[in-house]
Amino acid sequence: MTKRVSGKTGERVIDGVGVSAGIAIGVAHVVETGLGQLPEYEIDESAVEAEAGRFRAALAKAQKQVSKLRQKTVGMPDSVAEELAPLLDAHAAMLGSSRLGKGIETQIRARRINAEAAVQHVVHDIAEAFAAMKDPYLAARVTDVRDVAGRVLRNLADKPYQAFSVLPKDAVIIADELSPADTALLDPKRVAALATTAGGPEGHSAIMARSLGLPAVLGVPGLLGKVRSGDRVLVDGEHGRIVISPSAETLAEFERKAEARKRLERQLARLRSLPAESRDGEIITLQANLEMPRDVEPALTAGAEGVGLLRTEFLFMNRDSLPDEDEQYAVLRGIVEGLEGRPVTIRTLDVGGDKISTALGGRIGVSPNPALGLRGIRLSLAETKLFETQLAAILRAGAHGPVRLLLPLISSAEQIRQARKILTKVVRRLTRKGVRIADPVPPLGAMIEVPGAALMADGLAREVDYFAIGTNDLTSYALAIDRSDEAVAGLYNPLHPAVLRLIQFTVQAGHRAGIPVSICGEIAGDPRYAPLLVGLGVREFSMTSHSIPRVKQRIRAIDTGAATRRALAIMDQGDEGRISALLDDFNDSL
């Protein structure tokens, strides 16, 4: 990061990490989230119960606040909700946990100290316990524990969270960092850009900024000391630049760039009715990832040819009871009908890990390593009644339009055989009852997101009708990286030779078996990767709706023969830097 004073009068330039492209000019809104020095003092024996009651009231208020924030995710873009909703569910679970709540009450009673001090002691103990385990995943979760504790402390101090309660038009948020709760309070209609002291390109703030289409520059040490609320600020998210008090000349220059971006957006909009066809006539299918029913309209507006991934977790989140078959059917039918005959790929329940559903109660125990625990297809096969109910709802929705079934986190052929056996059982039951269902039975596919599944893709291909490669988890599992952990997030790289080989193995196995192979991870929506994926033989992409026009534009500029030759050259490389250079050189030539 560098800071310099421009030759233009009064203008200051600060460099950080550009994580979300775009240019915005607005008014700085500095977020001060600190609570200052919190007191610690002894209380009389007669006041212990009252102090414990004061804590319980603050805890209950925090639970209601998180619940309201969780409800707000329903109106957010699908990729934002995907990132934010599980984290807020995790916060809700922490607020309801005995370790935090009962532990704090025990401190108040045993040590006869005020609630604020008790909260800090318990959080300190949890942080030390996590650190002693030397587990990067648990170490990263300490931030979430502190965020939850800060909410309770704010309620104890009767200091409402007002970071984004009153914002000027075109506000540029300046903060040390943004938590999931912070993001839920943002109004994209008023916020122009983000800039923070902490964070990197793969963190929560960066992902959500990109999903909201907000320019963002992160990783700027000492940022809060350089900007004041009310300052005129320019944010260049592509080049990682913040300009404070920009001169008239700078404003004019960047306004020209902003107008050029708007013209590009208008050009992309005109691609809606055109096919994703390469220069040599190869047709590529572009579909949308959907998180919620509200995502159907944006998908159609973007020109999606169907839904390549419908996540069903939203049906189970933020509720105390499980959705029954009729409720699931009604929601899924609405989505299927909304796609007006376009195919919908419905992924079965994938909770577990960092996706927490209070409705599942004690069905999912606490795992020492949640990412490797009872989640995805493992949970469905362990809870067959839950699985059968969801399959029945999907089969019934399939009577109203074409659907495909997708099984998450597959790691063995036996899992697929068990799932197919349960599917057959449900089909027979519904048929005997005269219930209208999909006819024929929907195709059954496997998510390839475990390295072992990619390596044995030839065997799996004999059990399924199609593959869908989830590159986010595949990259994380292959490289042993939690991309939400800032200490190692920089090592997350889908262009790592090992990841590319796993993708190649899967695509080639699909081709040998004559089954379709799609990509539905984050790289599917990045135009940079399109030539490589096409060159490797991928002909189906699924992505967030807003990414479709840019990927379509890139595909229409590609010659598949040239892309194939470049992909083969890339697969001969063992160095990530060389792979990146070869790919970027090819993109520059288009």
Side-chain angles (χ1 to χ4, degrees), residues 265-286:
E265 294 295 335
R266 290 193 292 268
Q267 291 171 8
L268 292 173
R270 290 196 285 270
L271 295 175
R272 179 184 181 278
S273 60
L274 298 177
E277 182 178 2
S278 68
R279 287 168 49 198
D280 54 339
E282 191 75 23
I283 298 294
I284 310 297
T285 300
L286 300 185

Side-chain angles (χ1 to χ4, degrees), residues 40 45 127 170-171 194 232 247 360 405 423 453 488 495-496 503:
E40 177 171 345
E45 184 69 38
D170 294 326
L194 310 174
R232 188 77 164 161
S247 67
L360 288 169
L405 279 159
L423 175 62
V488 295
L495 291 179
H496 190 286
I503 294 173

Side-chain angles (χ1 to χ4, degrees), residues 246-319:
S247 67
E249 181 183 346
T250 298
L251 286 173
E253 175 189 348
F254 278 90
E255 283 171 354
R256 286 193 296 272
K257 291 182 179 179
E259 183 56 39
R261 286 186 64 87
K262 290 179 182 178
R263 287 196 299 272
L264 175 60
E265 294 295 335
R266 290 193 292 268
Q267 291 171 8
L268 292 173
R270 290 196 285 270
L271 295 175
R272 179 184 181 278
S273 60
L274 298 177
E277 182 178 2
S278 68
R279 287 168 49 198
D280 54 339
E282 191 75 23
I283 298 294
I284 310 297
T285 300
L286 300 185
Q287 298 183 318
N289 294 341
L290 264 61
E291 176 79 18
M292 301 284 289
R294 54 170 167 70
D295 300 326
V296 169
E297 185 177 347
L300 296 178
T301 300
E305 298 172 67
V307 174
L309 176 63
L310 170 61
R311 302 177 176 94
T312 57
E313 290 74 55
F314 72 92
L315 288 162
F316 296 80
M317 296 296 186
N318 199 34
R319 56 187 298 160

Side-chain angles (χ1 to χ4, degrees), residues 17-21 199-202 205-207 209-210 214-219 237-238 240:
V17 180
V19 301
S20 181
E202 297 300 337
S205 297
I207 291 171
R210 290 193 290 268
L214 296 175
V217 178
L218 309 184
E238 182 173 355

Side-chain angles (χ1 to χ4, degrees), residues 287 307-308 343-347 394 401-406 442-445 465-468 516 518 540:
Q287 298 183 318
V307 174
V344 180
T345 301
I346 303 175
R347 187 180 69 185
I394 295 171
V403 302
R404 301 196 305 179
L405 279 159
L406 182 59
L444 185 66
D465 302 302
Y466 66 97
F467 285 147
S518 68
E540 294 185 17

Side-chain angles (χ1 to χ4, degrees), residues 418-482:
Q418 289 182 40
R420 196 178 286 280
K421 184 178 179 180
I422 294 170
L423 175 62
T424 301
K425 174 185 174 183
V426 175
V427 168
R428 288 174 178 167
R429 173 172 62 82
L430 294 175
T431 302
R432 283 197 306 268
K433 291 183 176 181
V435 177
R436 187 179 171 218
I437 63 173
D439 186 18
V441 175
L444 185 66
M447 284 282 289
I448 304 299
E449 46 198 335
V450 175
L455 292 172
M456 62 172 294
D458 279 305
L460 297 180
R462 292 192 288 269
E463 305 290 340
V464 295
D465 302 302
Y466 66 97
F467 285 147
I469 304 175
T471 55
N472 297 353
D473 276 344
L474 185 64
T475 303
S476 291
Y477 285 132
L479 304 182
I481 290 168
D482 178 358

